Amino acid sequence: MNPLETPSFPSRLPQVETTIFTIMSALAAKHEAINLGQGFPDFPCDRKLIAEVNAAMLADRNQYPPMIGIAELRNGISQKIKNLYGHHYDADADITITAGGTQGILTAVLACVSPGDEVIIIEPAYDSYRPSIALAGGKTISVSLNVVRDEIGQVASYQIPWDALANAINPKTRLIIINTPHNPTGMVWDKADLDRLANLVRNTSALILSDEVYEHMVYDGAQHHSVASHPELAARSFLISSFGKTYHVTGWKVGYVAAPPALTKEFRKVHQFNVFTVNTPMQYGLASYLSDAEHYLNLPAFYQAKRDFFRAGLSQTKFKLLPTPGTYFQCVDYSSLNIPQSKLSEVDFCKWLTTEVGVAAIPVSAFYEQITESGVIRFCFAKQDQTLTNALQRLQTL
Ligand SMILES: Cc1ncc(COP(=O)(O)O)c(C=O)c1O
């Protein structure tokens, strides 16, 4: 063997390739398209939050914080969850600060899934779930949301596939991953859905991972129904959230996991040797900012205004709008457009939309392992009004 050659080894994640988000963002940049693809705000966060982080840095809070996160931030999270969802998570025993939602998800999966265990996910699903399960040696069992179609065959909404979920649960099921509000469809679970899930898992040993990173983006006066609001589910759940989504700082990658002590104990064993802890000044800044509840209570109105503005503009096009009760994503069915491109696959339609119309979107088919075409694409409306206006002008030419 050539000693200068890198030895080969079997990939741990042979299926993983460049994600559609990277592909579409690169295409958008190349064609100077307006990027409504990847989910991040194009407006700044509150200067107050930056000032709090700066103050923490200048106060020399720059060394390792405790492994589980600083007490001020964990206390604030405990208080927030109690106020919003009525469940007490002990700040010391139950709450861990993570490097964003993604690290929380991977760490939770690694902490409880052993080789051969089954993990149920509901597709379309956020792209980190599958690789996390694979790294743990688990087996992904996917069930798909039921697609509800209208009288002319266009997608109207999505429903939780209760029968498929019930059939998928068996003694090998270690974990069920749910996501509400849901990326990419914007769908939200209600109280009856949580009850139904609790009924399904009651006499099983299945744990739940509830990805609630969009918890503060629920509209039209509705409430977010967290697993924390359901004592039976809370007793077997990892609850995941992310400050990146809530405070418009996706690049900071700070989030948290709340879970009962038995789950948190195992979670922290992995967390300790995964990242050990999360950067100190951000934690102090977030703790101080979190103490003013208005900063997250204002979020539904803020994003609802953007959603309504974007939907009003899209209603001037031939796209069929799907309901958006939550998240900052708007899905549309493009099969209603009277153009030859409406017959393209979702990926090809998005590429065409980016290069020829100048607006980037994400194909919903990319959230399934087996390509599942339904003629639906996802736009992100976490953008300045001017960005949305410019995108709408282009989309209205269709
Ligand atoms: C459903 C879902 N879960 C988790 C995350 C990850 O959050 P973070 O950026 O905090 O890692 C995202 C980000 O897009 C998401 O959409």
Side-chain angles (χ1 to χ4, degrees):
M1 189 184 150
N2 178 350
L4 296 179
E5 218 174 77
T6 305
S8 65
F9 62 97
S11 170
R12 298 294 317 279
L13 295 171
Q15 328 291 7
V16 172
E17 288 165 12
T18 311
T19 72
I20 190 72
F21 305 100
T22 306
I23 293 169
M24 293 311 301
S25 286
L27 203 61
K30 185 169 166 206
H31 293 270
E32 295 182 2
I34 299 164
N35 192 353
L36 303 189
Q38 210 172 348
F40 60 87
D42 72 341
F43 44 83
C45 69
D46 191 345
R47 301 294 92 176
K48 241 195 244 166
L49 177 54
I50 293 188
E52 299 287 3
V53 173
N54 278 344
M57 283 184 175
L58 291 170
D60 285 324
R61 295 184 139 156
N62 299 306
Q63 306 309 327
Y64 293 128
M67 184 268 278
I68 62 179
I70 64 164
E72 291 86 339
L73 186 54
R74 286 181 287 103
N75 285 327
I77 292 164
S78 170
Q79 195 64 50
K80 182 192 87 160
I81 296 178
K82 176 84 184 146
N83 292 346
L84 292 178
Y85 311 128
H87 185 79
H88 174 68
Y89 284 102
D90 184 86
D92 292 332
D94 303 344
I95 295 174
T96 312
I97 309 303
T98 60
T102 312
Q103 186 241 317
I105 294 163
L106 174 63
T107 303
V109 170
L110 290 174
C112 69
V113 175
S114 298
D117 285 350
E118 295 188 0
V119 181
I120 301 175
I121 66 169
I122 305 176
E123 291 187 322
Y126 181 60
D127 63 351
S128 85
Y129 303 159
R130 262 178 198 285
S132 299
I133 298 162
L135 286 173
K139 183 172 174 206
T140 301
I141 306 291
S142 34
V143 297
S144 296
L145 285 180
N146 294 332
V147 179
V148 181
R149 294 182 182 272
D150 63 15
E151 57 292 344
I152 52 167
Q154 288 169 356
V155 177
S157 62
Y158 297 90
Q159 284 175 348
I160 301 163
W162 290 111
D163 291 344
L165 204 49
N167 288 335
I169 296 172
N170 72 71
K172 285 196 198 145
T173 307
R174 172 69 56 227
L175 185 69
I176 302 173
I177 301 184
I178 65 169
N179 170 213
T180 177
H182 182 243
N183 176 13
T185 67
M187 172 181 169
V188 301
W189 287 47
D190 60 22
K191 161 98 177 52
D193 295 324
L194 293 183
D195 287 340
R196 219 160 157 176
L197 180 64
N199 286 342
L200 282 186
V201 297
R202 187 160 298 130
N203 294 314
T204 75
S205 54
L207 303 172
I208 310 281
L209 185 156
S210 185
D211 180 348
E212 303 182 15
V213 300
Y214 300 103
E215 63 178 318
H216 300 296
M217 294 168 212
V218 176
Y219 310 124
D220 305 312
Q223 275 183 9
H224 167 60
H225 292 278
S226 170
V227 286
S229 65
H230 198 291
E232 251 189 86
L233 290 177
R236 59 169 78 216
S237 295
F238 294 99
L239 162 55
I240 311 277
S241 193
S242 167
F243 291 110
K245 308 289 178 187
T246 305
Y247 295 141
H248 320 308
V249 287
T250 57
W252 288 10
K253 299 294 285 185
V254 185
Y256 58 89
V257 174
L263 297 188
T264 297
K265 187 170 163 235
E266 292 305 313
F267 180 92
R268 288 176 179 171
K269 287 184 189 172
V270 180
H271 177 78
Q272 172 155 242
F273 299 110
N274 180 194
V275 291
F276 181 66
T277 190
V278 175
N279 67 80
T280 312
M282 299 311 198
Q283 291 196 49
Y284 278 102
L286 287 163
S288 167
Y289 199 71
L290 180 65
S291 64
D292 183 348
E294 287 305 309
H295 292 142
Y296 53 83
L297 294 177
N298 286 338
L299 212 61
F302 173 79
Y303 273 124
Q304 185 169 331
K306 291 199 179 294
R307 180 200 67 168
D308 292 348
F309 177 72
F310 190 51
R311 284 178 72 88
L314 282 178
S315 69
Q316 311 292 313
T317 70
K318 291 204 173 60
F319 284 115
K320 155 124 194 230
L321 279 80
L322 273 63
T324 304
T327 73
Y328 48 43
F329 301 115
Q330 173 64 54
C331 287
V332 298
D333 184 327
Y334 61 86
S335 62
S336 47
L337 299 178
N338 280 331
I339 49 172
Q341 289 79 10
S342 65
K343 303 278 179 287
L344 290 174
S345 71
E346 292 174 24
V347 171
D348 288 342
F349 183 83
C350 285
K351 287 183 177 162
W352 171 79
L353 197 68
T354 306
T355 54
E356 302 302 321
V357 183
V359 180
I362 297 291
V364 167
S365 58
F367 293 77
Y368 290 86
E369 191 187 31
Q370 308 287 341
I371 293 291
T372 304
E373 292 289 337
S374 53
V376 176
I377 58 172
R378 187 200 81 176
F379 292 116
C380 172
F381 57 79
K383 306 291 169 191
Q384 297 174 46
D385 289 352
Q386 192 57 53
T387 310
L388 295 176
T389 302
N390 295 345
L392 286 166
Q393 273 167 4
R394 295 180 183 189
L395 294 172
Q396 283 162 356
T397 62
L398 288 173

